[in-house]
Amino acid sequence: MKEIQELDLKYHFPVYKRLPITLSHGKGARVWDTNGKEYIDVLGGIAVNSLGHGHPALVHAIKNQAEKLVHVSNFYSTVPQAKLTAKLAELSGLDRVFLCSTGLEAMEGAYKTARKYANKQGRKGPILSMEGCFHGRSIAGIASGKKKFQEGFEPMPAGFRQIPFNSKEALSEAVDAQTAAVVIEPVQGEGGVRPADPEFLRHARKVCDEYGVPLIFDEIQTGIARTGRMFAYEHSGVKPDILTLAKGLGGGVPIGAVLAKEEIASALSPGDHGTTFGGNALACAAANAVLQTVEREDLVRQSEEKGAWLMEVLNEKLADHPLVKDIRGIGLMTGAELDIEGGPVVQRMAELGVLANAASVNVMRFVPPLVISKDDLFSAVCILKKVLDEMK
């Protein structure tokens, strides 16, 4: 393990603060390092491993497709891609789907689509994002995100503006006939597991409709059963004009998607946007297997039930803890906001056999595989409490 970590430190860009752990293999919601130590995984690759590790349906789909066709470019259609776009349109009620490889690419595609649509209507105003948001680390992503991610990468491109999250008044004041789009995460993930107020989302829909402005929902972290619904926007009953997905869609195989209404997607013409790797046969086969398994194993319901149970346990164990400020979330996307930085807590939990992380510096985030057992969730909460007791 030490040799591998030394290679990583020597050759990889210095952009990650890794724990001194080299993982070898996993099964379900458990992983093992190269020394044989076992961990409960409540990070799930940051809400990516929706089916856990080594799920037979996903493994079979990847193996089967790899033997047939992995990649051919988007000059041609493939069976897995066509089936996936049709399924995503069916599930979302949106008309068109663009497939890419990451959440960052999905957001870039959403921004470009919204801008092209706005330009065709003669609108030249900004894309409005929310304070505390995170939409990736591309230049456009950080231009629409937190100031701390912009530092050292100036000048930022024009055309983005932030307003307070969950403020109906700020939204009403900011949106006008020139606004290009409004982008919202139904639950801010990197921002500290902060759910959007359903009334705020309904107000956003009303204001955007009034001015004909596209409403974008970034569901890269919340989509695909994470919050106890297939898409988190279903909790509020507000459907977006553009929807972005990634993370849990491929169960660990890189894939992203932009979904949009016909009127907005049709603003694009051949050559306006594209990708070499996006929507390749292997990634689409994996995503099809994930969606089939989510439906077959009723993982939307499982996420809702386990998430509600997890909130009860977190509140029972930690609500009155002196180092815990707040507990919040929805489905299997929950966070415990601490009165201290989360880094040392993450490290100590790993030493005790639980992989977690801290969002927004001090929010312990639980985004485990949807297949995780209640026993593993309970053990993880107990370990978190033990660590906080030690630090108290």
Side-chain angles (χ1 to χ4, degrees):
M1 187 156 66
K2 183 179 179 182
E3 179 185 354
I4 294 298
Q5 290 166 5
E6 287 174 350
L7 287 173
D8 177 71
L9 288 170
K10 182 176 180 180
Y11 292 109
H12 200 285
F13 271 33
V15 293
Y16 300 119
K17 291 180 67 176
R18 302 190 201 266
L19 292 173
I21 297 171
T22 300
L23 296 176
S24 167
H25 61 284
K27 192 67 178 175
R30 301 249 174 161
V31 291
W32 287 261
D33 67 22
T34 51
N35 289 333
K37 182 175 179 178
E38 184 177 357
Y39 303 84
I40 297 172
D41 181 9
V42 296
L43 179 57
I46 317 179
V48 168
N49 300 317
S50 45
L51 304 186
H53 304 277
H55 192 289
L58 183 57
V59 171
H60 173 75
I62 293 169
K63 283 183 174 179
N64 185 54
Q65 187 60 47
E67 291 176 348
K68 295 178 180 178
L69 201 63
V70 172
H71 174 80
V72 295
S73 88
N74 283 299
F75 284 125
Y76 318 98
S77 60
T78 66
V79 173
Q81 185 184 104
K83 287 184 175 180
L84 179 59
T85 54
K87 185 63 177 178
L88 288 174
E90 174 196 327
L91 289 170
S92 67
L94 296 169
D95 305 303
R96 294 280 186 171
V97 181
F98 173 81
L99 295 171
C100 50
S101 298
T102 66
L104 182 150
E105 290 177 70
M107 288 310 302
E108 291 283 338
Y111 288 160
K112 283 184 69 177
T113 302
R115 281 208 182 281
K116 188 69 183 291
Y117 178 72
N119 279 322
K120 284 198 167 188
Q121 295 188 323
R123 291 187 279 113
K124 305 292 184 181
I127 293 174
L128 300 177
S129 62
M130 306 297 121
E131 292 176 0
C133 71
F134 181 82
H135 299 298
R137 289 183 170 87
S138 67
I139 288 294
I142 63 175
S144 61
K146 292 182 179 179
K147 293 292 183 184
K148 74 171 187 176
F149 291 118
Q150 299 175 9
E151 293 173 5
F153 297 102
E154 300 87 353
M156 287 292 107
F160 296 95
R161 178 186 165 196
Q162 285 207 331
I163 60 174
F165 183 49
N166 274 333
S167 171
K168 292 191 288 186
E169 295 77 12
L171 188 65
S172 293
E173 291 174 4
V175 176
D176 59 29
Q178 287 299 310
T179 303
V182 174
V183 57
I184 304 172
E185 297 162 279
V187 183
Q188 290 189 340
E190 295 298 324
V193 192
R194 298 182 184 278
D197 185 335
E199 283 303 315
F200 173 70
L201 297 180
R202 287 190 273 271
H203 183 71
R205 180 71 279 172
K206 178 182 176 182
V207 172
C208 286
D209 286 345
E210 181 180 347
Y211 288 99
V213 171
L215 178 59
I216 305 170
F217 281 172
D218 176 349
E219 292 228 29
I220 285 160
Q221 189 164 158
T222 57
I224 316 301
R226 173 57 52 190
T227 69
R229 299 288 186 275
M230 184 61 76
F231 308 110
Y233 70 74
E234 296 175 53
H235 291 284
S236 66
V238 176
K239 189 160 83 172
D241 303 302
I242 302 174
L243 176 69
T244 59
L245 302 170
K247 288 190 180 287
L249 178 59
V253 176
I255 189 168
V258 186
L259 288 65
K261 292 181 177 177
E262 179 69 40
E263 177 187 358
I264 294 172
S266 63
L268 297 172
S269 302
D272 279 346
H273 197 55
T275 170
T276 297
F277 292 106
N280 70 62
L282 184 69
C284 290
N288 284 324
V290 168
L291 295 177
Q292 290 163 10
T293 305
V294 166
E295 292 185 328
R296 184 176 62 251
E297 298 187 6
D298 203 9
L299 293 182
V300 172
R301 179 190 58 80
Q302 285 198 45
S303 176
E304 180 180 31
E305 291 183 357
K306 291 174 187 174
W309 180 86
L310 175 60
M311 284 293 288
E312 290 179 6
V313 174
L314 283 166
N315 276 295
E316 177 188 330
K317 298 287 185 181
L318 298 175
D320 296 325
H321 199 283
L323 295 184
V324 176
K325 296 171 64 176
D326 189 26
I327 297 169
R328 54 181 178 263
I330 184 167
L332 284 174
M333 185 175 181
T334 60
E337 184 176 354
L338 307 181
D339 225 358
I340 57 174
E341 288 195 7
V345 179
V346 171
Q347 186 167 342
R348 180 63 178 139
M349 287 181 71
E351 292 171 359
L352 296 175
V354 175
L355 299 184
N357 94 313
S360 196
V361 181
N362 68 328
V363 180
M364 298 305 299
R365 174 170 47 176
F366 282 64
V367 281
L370 305 179
V371 298
I372 193 170
S373 68
K374 288 183 177 179
D375 285 345
D376 278 351
L377 285 172
F378 186 80
S379 295
V381 173
C382 289
I383 292 294
L384 173 57
K385 183 179 185 302
K386 174 181 173 64
V387 171
L388 293 179
D389 286 343
E390 291 176 359
M391 295 184 172
K392 179 178 64 174

